[in-house]
Structure formats: C-alpha cells, structure tokens
Amino acid sequence: MSETQSGQATDAIRHADILIIGGGLSGAMLAAQLMRLPGQRQVLVIEPRAELGRGEAYSALELGHTLNGNAARMSVDPDNADDLTQWLTEFIAAGGWPESDEQHVPISELFPPRGMFGLYVQQRLAEAKVAGLVIGSTVEHVRAEVVDLQTEAQAVRLTLSDGQRLQGTFAVLATGMFPAARTPQTESSGLNAAALDPWDVAAMQQLDPQSTVLIIGSGLTMVDAVVSLEQAGHRGPIEVFSRHGLLPHVRRQPPAWVDFLAEDHSIRTPRQLLRELRRHCREAIAQGIDWQAPLDTVRAHIGRLWHQATDVQRRQFVRHVRPWWESHHHRSPPLSAEMVERLHGEGRLRIQAASFQGLEPSTNGEVSIRIRRRGEAHTTMVSGAALINSSGIEYDWRRVARPLPQQLLARGLIRPGPLALGIAAEVDGAVLDAEGRPAERLFAMGPPLRGMWWESTAVTDVASQAKSLAARLATPRPV
Ligand SMILES: Cc1cc2nc3c(=O)[nH]c(=O)nc-3n(C[C@H](O)[C@H](O)[C@H](O)COP(=O)(O)OP(=O)(O)OC[C@H]3O[C@@H](n4cnc5c(N)ncnc54)[C@H](O)[C@@H]3O)c2cc1C
C-alpha cells in the first residue's frame, strides 16, 4: 500500500477524485468497491494508523479476541456470502491458523480472530487495488488525521494534522466509532486516564495476578477485557458493574426461521415488534428450536423499522428495548462466552446492576469508583487494583473531543442524527447540513449513521453500505 507521510506544512493542494476520511473497515471497503467500478478515479484514504483496513476492531493481536459471528456471517463481499470462508480455507491450508484444528468444526463455523479478519480485509483491498490499476484507478494511504473540512461549489477541501491540504470532488466520513472514554465528559471525570485499555494484555501483565479488577460495562468489550485478563495471567476477582447487569448471550447457530417481518409490514412500533417477536420465540421454543432463530430474522429489517419510526418510537426502543437488544442480539463468540461463564461459575467474576457515579481519589495505589446499585438510593465506593472502562461508544458527535467533528459542527456542515446518534444523512449517505439540506459532495458511512439505521457498524452493514455508496459516487448526478 503506498503511503504518504509529510511532517512539513505546505501551501500546495493535492487533488484527488474521492477523499475517504478514515481507513478502518469502512474506508478500506469503500476504496475496494471504487476500484472495481468502471471509470478512472484517484482515491486518497486519510488514516493516521499505520495500516488500512483495521481500525480499532481489527487491530486486535490476541487469538482470543474473535469476531462475534462465524465466518459464514462475516463476508465483506455483499455478492458472495462465502467470501470469508473461502479466504480462511486458503489461509488455514497455508498454515495460517494451526489452532483452528482444535475446534473441530467446519471452517464456515469458525469465529476468526479479529486481527486475522483485518488481514483478510487488507488482502481484498490489495486485490481490488490491482484490479483498479488495470483500468487506471488508484488508492493511496495518506497517513494523517483530517482536522478540518470545507465545502465549495466544485470541491471539498481538507486540512490534515501535518498541515497538508487536499482537494477532492467528494469526501466521505468513514470515521468509525469514538470510544466513550475519549469524550470530554469522561475525560473530565478522570476515567480515561485511570482506566486500562480492554485490549492491552501487556499492561494487565503488570498487575498483581490475585488483585481485584473493576470493569464498567458488561457488553462485548467487557468479554474482550476478561479474555485479555486471562491471557495476561490474572487470576483474581473481577467485579463488573453495568446499569442492567445483563451479560451478552452466547451466539449459537440456529436453523432458519420464517422471516415474519418480511411477511407482515403492519408491524411498525417497538411494542408490536416485541409482541410478535416474543410470540415467535415461544413458538420456536415449543418446537424445540432455539429462540435465537426468530431473533436473527429481525436483523435484516431493523434499519427499515428504525428509519420509518417516529422519534417517540425510537426513544421508546432506546429506553425499553435497547439493553435487551444489546445482550440478545450482540452475542458473545462461544469460546469467550465459555470463559466468562466459567469465571462466573467459579465466583471469580461477579456482575452487579449498578451505575457508575464517578471516580474517587486513589488511595494505597488502588483505584476507587463510586457506584449506585440498582434499587438503592445511596452510592457505594468500591476499589480494585485496576479499572477497565468498557462502557461503550460515544455516538453524540457534540461530545466527541476530536477536531474534525467539532469543526464540522461549528461550520454547520453536519447536524446530529435522530436522538443525537451520529449525524443526519440522506438514504444515499449524503450528509445533512445544520439547516437540513443534503450535501452535494460530503457523504458518510458506517457508525456515523447510527441514528439513521440503528445498526450501522457490523461487518455486513459496512460492506453493503460500501457497495451502494461506491456506486453513488461513481455515477455523480449533475450538481
Ligand atoms: C473492539 C471491537 C470489536 C468489534 N467486533 C465486531 C465483530 O465481531 N463483528 C462485527 O460485525 N462488528 C464488530 N465490530 C464493529 C466494527 O467497528 C465495525 O465492523 C468496523 O470496525 C467499522 O469500521 P469503520 O471503518 O467504520 O470504523 P473504525 O474501525 O472505527 O475505523 C475508523 C477509522 O477512522 C479513523 N479516523 C477517525 N477520525 C479521523 C480523522 N479525522 N481523520 C482521519 N482518520 C480518522 C480512525 O483512526 C479509524 O482507524 C467491532 C468493533 C469494535 C470496536
């Protein structure tokens, strides 16, 4: 992958057709799709990380940090559901993942390590790059952060952290997710500085193995943090605090179930959806079929249901359904779930329904936090040798302390999405400005569109958005 890195500020402006801001899975897949379309185009992917295609999710180094779906569910090719299985088959045959033998399941049912998935994404991008060169299209990695963006009648201009300036016909915000720990709110509470990174096994190896570790949040990041602690040799108590005290369910491979939402378009509200879903789950269980089968049919419709819902209905969903949706839909890979279950069974991992109230001054080298247990009016202080914040993602861009989101908001080029989740956009990804007008040259994809589609982060969401956005950018409408 060619890469540009300039430490020098320069007045020259570099031109390209399409500027992709962010080179995680979204940016890499959009670039790959653009290379495969007819017509010549120059694409620059601006990404501060050393490698494209990984982002936070697929930079994972541990084999235990796996995808939460099996290979059959995680293809980046919307036209070939077997693409990852095929890649993995070759990779394993070449000796790439000898440990996979121990699982005794077909390759399509393996849950690949996320770092390995990153390699797959990179390989598919490299192949697309070769295909692009044949027709005169190019992709280049510019290693920097975009700190400002301006739109003009005929172009979009970017300013980079190293002073470079870029100009393109279109720009795409593929900036991914911003961890909650990097927001001003949590930064000012000191949580960010006090907490260990959930994936930093080396830092965890410095802990006394018998010490108590506190974890805030009980979703899939907590599961990863527990895997990291085990890998680091930690054998002490793990205290997990989350508002509802719900652990993610384990992902099983249920048989197909009737797609009841495809058959019944009268289901529109969260209440109707829950009622019908519960009915189907009861029916499935009565037939000896896993409740996950009916639940999995909902996924394909969630974007449509969310998009057509009113803000009141969306709020109802967030308030009443979200915790259960998160724990039932965003399920844990089996091997990680087994580990969490084992530690829970041994009494080493305890999960409590309690909300984080704030950080306390540290004493005796310990980190202390104040929590409020569900149903209690008073708060309680708890202490441990270390704290891990796995409380999730900050989707409200007004609270993201990075230059680009702040500049875009200040310039009125974007507006918050529904319920302040991400940013507002048209169905084709064209972002809406502060007055609600769709941009002609600025688009977004992936997690920034959370408010538009609710589910806009998973591999399959990103892969299908990359395909449709590439087609949109390759056939510009007259402006
Ligand atoms: C730990 C973790 C595990 C996950 N596991 C799964 C899973 O198992 N299955 C699944 O389907 N999904 C999973 N996901 C969801 C996953 O995020 C998405 O699949 C995918 O990473 C989204 O890709 P992205 O490129 O939009 O965002 P990201 O991967 O977050 O990449 C965005 C990139 O943009 C860059 N960037 C941000 N701002 C700027 C700027 N101003 N200038 C330049 N670059 C910028 C960042 O450096 C980053 O590399 C996981 C997510 C995480 C965080």
Side-chain angles (χ1 to χ4, degrees):
M1 193 67 46
S2 50
E3 178 188 298
T4 312
Q5 193 169 18
S6 149
Q8 302 282 312
T10 165
D11 282 342
I13 295 188
R14 214 176 145 193
H15 295 255
D17 296 302
I18 297 170
L19 306 170
I20 302 177
I21 306 171
L25 178 67
S26 294
M29 285 303 94
L30 177 61
Q33 289 286 353
L34 285 165
M35 289 302 98
R36 294 197 179 278
L37 291 175
Q40 294 184 343
R41 58 190 61 85
Q42 272 58 59
V43 177
L44 298 181
V45 184
I46 307 100
E47 164 62 56
R49 290 175 192 267
E51 295 180 34
L52 294 185
R54 291 192 181 272
E56 178 80 58
Y58 310 113
S59 296
L61 297 173
E62 296 298 325
L63 286 182
H65 292 153
T66 69
L67 289 176
N68 62 0
N70 61 25
R73 291 167 176 265
M74 295 287 160
S75 163
V76 295
D77 183 350
D79 301 319
N80 177 13
D82 296 328
D83 190 57
L84 175 56
T85 305
Q86 287 159 0
W87 180 85
L88 210 51
T89 304
E90 286 171 25
F91 187 71
I92 291 171
W97 185 16
E99 298 84 353
S100 61
D101 270 1
E102 295 159 17
Q103 297 189 35
H104 308 292
V105 294
I107 289 178
S108 60
E109 289 178 25
L110 288 168
F111 288 68
R114 294 202 301 272
M116 197 177 288
F117 181 84
L119 213 56
Y120 154 66
V121 172
Q122 290 181 329
Q123 204 160 320
R124 290 298 184 246
L125 173 59
E127 289 158 5
K129 222 184 142 192
V130 171
L133 277 178
V134 173
I135 52 172
S137 289
T138 60
V139 179
E140 196 180 314
H141 177 188
V142 178
R143 201 169 162 198
E145 179 179 356
V146 176
V147 292
D148 197 7
L149 181 153
Q150 283 168 276
T151 52
E152 290 167 8
Q154 300 300 321
V156 184
R157 286 181 180 221
L158 307 185
T159 307
L160 310 192
S161 47
D162 60 9
Q164 283 191 78
R165 291 193 299 149
L166 307 178
Q167 178 169 307
T169 310
F170 298 108
V172 178
L173 297 167
T175 48
M177 310 203 260
F178 297 99
R182 285 182 208 154
T183 67
Q185 232 186 11
T186 48
E187 262 167 20
S188 62
S189 77
L191 183 60
N192 190 25
L196 283 183
D197 181 324
W199 300 284
D200 192 347
V201 174
M204 294 176 193
Q205 281 168 338
Q206 307 305 312
L207 296 172
D208 170 357
Q210 299 305 328
S211 62
T212 299
V213 173
L214 314 176
I215 303 185
I216 305 172
S218 65
L220 291 176
T221 304
M222 178 279 291
V223 174
D224 263 11
V226 170
V227 170
S228 305
L229 283 165
E230 275 291 286
Q231 185 65 27
H234 177 261
R235 298 294 176 261
I238 301 171
E239 300 282 355
V240 179
F241 307 97
S242 82
R243 271 200 198 101
H244 297 270
L246 295 171
L247 280 175
H249 284 269
V250 60
R251 182 171 291 287
R252 293 184 291 269
Q253 322 285 347
W257 185 259
V258 58
D259 191 352
F260 61 97
L261 287 167
E263 291 179 357
D264 185 354
H265 277 253
S266 70
I267 302 169
R268 297 175 77 91
T269 69
R271 200 180 296 247
Q272 288 171 324
L273 173 64
L274 269 191
R275 200 176 45 226
E276 269 311 281
L277 180 58
R278 283 207 181 103
R279 191 172 71 74
H280 279 270
C281 286
R282 276 196 302 271
E283 233 173 76
I285 292 165
Q287 293 175 29
I289 293 173
D290 201 316
W291 56 263
Q292 296 190 359
L295 180 67
D296 285 355
T297 64
V298 175
R299 183 60 168 82
H301 301 278
I302 207 76
R304 170 180 63 79
L305 289 169
W306 178 267
H307 198 71
Q308 74 190 20
T310 62
D311 269 1
V312 172
Q313 291 168 340
R314 290 175 181 142
R315 257 184 221 107
Q316 280 170 352
F317 178 87
V318 170
R319 187 166 308 142
H320 304 297
V321 186
R322 179 185 188 165
W324 283 269
W325 176 256
E326 297 296 341
S327 65
H328 286 71
H329 174 68
H330 294 285
R331 302 197 289 272
S332 191
L335 292 180
S336 315
E338 259 172 45
M339 183 181 290
V340 170
E341 216 173 278
R342 176 172 58 77
L343 300 187
H344 195 236
E346 290 169 1
R348 257 186 63 206
L349 183 142
R350 245 176 11 129
I351 169 141
Q352 302 184 48
S355 57
F356 170 72
Q357 300 291 307
L359 199 66
E360 292 287 311
S362 83
T363 45
N364 310 326
E366 290 220 309
V367 53
S368 300
I369 57 171
R370 193 157 284 281
I371 54 149
R372 191 160 61 76
R373 294 196 175 86
R374 208 168 181 195
E376 290 182 358
H378 64 278
T379 61
T380 309
M381 197 175 88
V382 287
S383 303
L387 172 70
I388 297 173
N389 179 18
S390 55
S391 60
I393 306 302
E394 181 56 80
Y395 283 105
D396 185 344
W397 279 39
R398 294 169 303 185
R399 299 206 293 224
V400 174
R402 301 299 314 161
L404 183 62
Q406 295 296 323
Q407 286 290 3
L408 288 168
L409 284 163
R411 290 189 185 281
L413 292 175
I414 58 170
R415 68 190 322 207
L419 310 195
L421 294 168
I423 57 176
E426 293 281 2
V427 171
D428 67 357
V431 307
L432 302 188
D433 70 11
E435 264 77 57
R437 290 176 303 231
E440 285 161 358
R441 306 190 173 277
L442 181 60
F443 292 78
M445 66 173 292
L449 301 185
R450 166 78 158 175
M452 306 308 299
W453 306 111
W454 183 253
E455 292 293 344
S456 188
T457 60
V459 168
T460 43
D461 302 321
V462 165
S464 65
Q465 285 183 22
K467 186 178 174 200
S468 50
L469 182 55
R472 164 73 181 85
L473 297 177
T475 46
R477 292 157 201 175
V479 289

